[in-house]
Amino acid sequence: GPGRARAADAFSMRTTTRRLLLASFVACGDALRLPPTAYRTQALARCRGMALCASTLSTPMRFVGHRGASHVRPEQTMAAVMDALDQGLSFECDLQVLRTNEVVLLHDDTLERTAAKWSTDTEATGLDEAQYAQLVTAPASTLSYDELSRVDIGSWFDTAHSEERVPLFSQALQALKETGGDACCFAELKSQNPDSADTGNMPLVDQQLVDAASEVVTNDPGISAEQITWISSSCAVACEAKRKMPEHNSLLIKHAQTSEAAWQAARDCVEHGLDGIDLECDAAVVTPELVAWMHARGKLVAVWVWRAPATNDTPEHWAAMRAAGVDYFTSNLPNELEAWRGAGSIPTDSA
């Protein structure tokens, strides 16, 4: 009945209050030297009887379209990028460098997964079946942009997108500039050595990508520092991007499956002078304590989801990450997100 509902609400509020207050105390501890659990007992004791600052619950969280609006448009295409921007949102894209030094939006090493299947109706490739198969299975770093541009990368999603081709990074940035507003691009610098914690020498292709991407941005004076955030799963690549382009944020991507792995990513971020971490969306891993510790050090926390449809790209996950204080949520932008965003700010609890 109503009494039970009020009691449940009160319990939820007390639980939320204690977790967020605990986060503020953990933030004061130096987790570079001590694990977060070292502060837990004292912090929990100090949480009791203290008031919750209202601003803690009103921290904004910005949405970023994963590979563009990839739930409703073919990933890594201008259609997906424009859909995200048209919603007033930012977009994330994966970058690869070609043999001819162009930087393009492409997640995989090859076109095989998103290329249209060869048939006698395949238009404008000028290739027979064997040649086409060789093209779409070749590493992108061995191809020219002219070769990539022959391939339809939209029909796999819907035949209405058969005109889509691999976009240039510069084309996506042009769309970002023309849209205006406060949207930004999360540009992932793909690595030949992903998940490496090494900050030393990088594979040659990784260095070529950082150099080429830096040149694209440097040659475009219309792009502000706030409009591009570099992200990479390679610590060496993230550090190199920060070294070459210190005015832009550079985040370390980690697939942290445990709390300790997430804390290690946070410590690595601080140690190497990066601007934040980008973790898989998981409330058991991306905790208020971790976010508060990062914020206390002036660092950002972003989260990401897997390719659409992703089981962690739901209203429950959006709400949990926003309550934890996460700065950016990289979502596939499913249809229900617009209604969820339109519902207003985080619901306020009352005792």
Side-chain angles (χ1 to χ4, degrees):
R4 181 176 296 177
R6 285 194 296 272
D9 288 344
F11 176 80
S12 175
M13 178 58 183
R14 288 194 298 272
T15 301
T16 301
T17 300
R18 289 184 178 184
R19 288 199 74 192
L20 291 171
L21 282 171
L22 174 60
S24 68
F25 289 115
V26 171
C28 297
D30 187 359
L32 281 170
R33 299 183 177 86
L34 293 172
T37 51
Y39 309 101
R40 188 173 301 277
T41 302
Q42 289 182 329
L44 278 173
R46 295 172 67 185
C47 283
R48 294 185 175 90
M50 299 183 69
L52 179 66
C53 177
S55 62
T56 305
L57 286 177
S58 59
T59 303
M61 181 176 74
R62 296 175 63 182
F63 281 89
V64 180
H66 184 219
R67 311 182 192 182
S70 59
H71 192 92
V72 295
R73 298 286 184 268
E75 65 175 69
Q76 309 280 6
T77 62
M78 287 307 299
V81 168
M82 291 307 304
D83 194 296
L85 291 174
D86 287 345
Q87 294 184 55
L89 302 176
S90 301
F91 66 92
E92 181 265 355
C93 59
D94 301 280
L95 303 182
Q96 308 263 8
V97 65
L98 306 183
R99 185 189 76 236
T100 44
N101 215 43
E102 294 95 343
V103 180
V104 297
L105 276 58
L106 183 65
H107 180 272
D108 300 357
D109 291 338
T110 74
L111 291 168
E112 186 173 17
R113 179 172 59 85
T114 55
K117 302 302 180 185
W118 187 89
S119 74
T120 54
D121 296 326
T122 302
E123 297 180 359
T125 65
L127 303 175
D128 63 27
E129 186 172 6
Q131 292 171 323
Y132 185 77
Q134 185 176 10
L135 172 60
V136 301
T137 57
S141 60
T142 68
L143 300 174
S144 70
Y145 186 64
D146 285 344
E147 290 169 321
L148 248 68
S149 297
R150 296 180 176 186
V151 180
D152 160 14
I153 61 162
S155 290
W156 70 271
F157 187 89
D158 190 306
T159 54
H161 295 290
S162 62
E163 297 300 315
E164 293 293 337
R165 300 294 184 266
V166 174
L168 291 167
F169 183 37
S170 58
Q171 292 175 317
L173 295 185
Q174 183 63 31
L176 177 63
K177 288 190 301 180
E178 291 176 355
T179 301
D182 61 355
C184 67
C185 170
F186 268 41
E188 179 173 351
L189 297 160
K190 302 295 285 187
S191 173
Q192 298 290 307
N193 196 15
D195 303 317
S196 171
D198 183 14
T199 57
N201 294 330
M202 296 183 294
L204 178 59
V205 172
D206 287 10
Q207 185 66 61
Q208 290 173 335
L209 174 58
V210 175
D211 291 344
S214 172
E215 185 175 351
V216 171
V217 173
T218 301
N219 291 338
D220 192 339
I223 290 293
S224 68
E226 295 77 18
Q227 286 180 298
I228 297 180
T229 291
W230 303 110
I231 58 176
S232 184
S233 60
S234 162
C235 193
V237 169
C239 289
E240 179 65 3
K242 187 63 181 176
R243 185 189 70 80
K244 288 185 71 72
M245 298 164 283
E247 67 275 19
H248 298 284
N249 286 333
S250 184
L251 311 186
L252 180 62
I253 301 173
K254 283 296 177 183
H255 180 202
Q257 296 181 297
T258 66
S259 178
E260 178 49 38
W263 278 94
Q264 185 59 54
R267 292 189 287 266
D268 290 343
C269 165
V270 173
E271 178 181 353
H272 297 302
L274 297 173
D275 301 292
I277 51 177
D278 195 1
L279 306 175
E280 181 181 0
C281 174
D282 183 344
V285 172
V286 185
T287 61
E289 296 91 334
L290 175 67
V291 175
W293 189 86
M294 289 291 286
H295 285 174
R297 287 153 181 78
K299 307 298 183 182
L300 297 169
V301 178
V303 297
W304 50 268
V305 300
W306 291 104
R307 181 160 58 99
T311 57
N312 57 350
D313 198 7
T314 69
E316 292 75 20
H317 290 88
W318 306 330
M321 292 298 96
R322 187 161 65 174
V326 163
D327 300 291
Y328 293 92
F329 193 115
T330 302
S331 162
N332 297 314
L333 309 187
N335 292 322
E336 59 266 35
L337 177 60
E338 184 175 3
W340 187 85
R341 290 173 58 227
S345 59
I346 301 172
T348 56
D349 294 313
S350 58

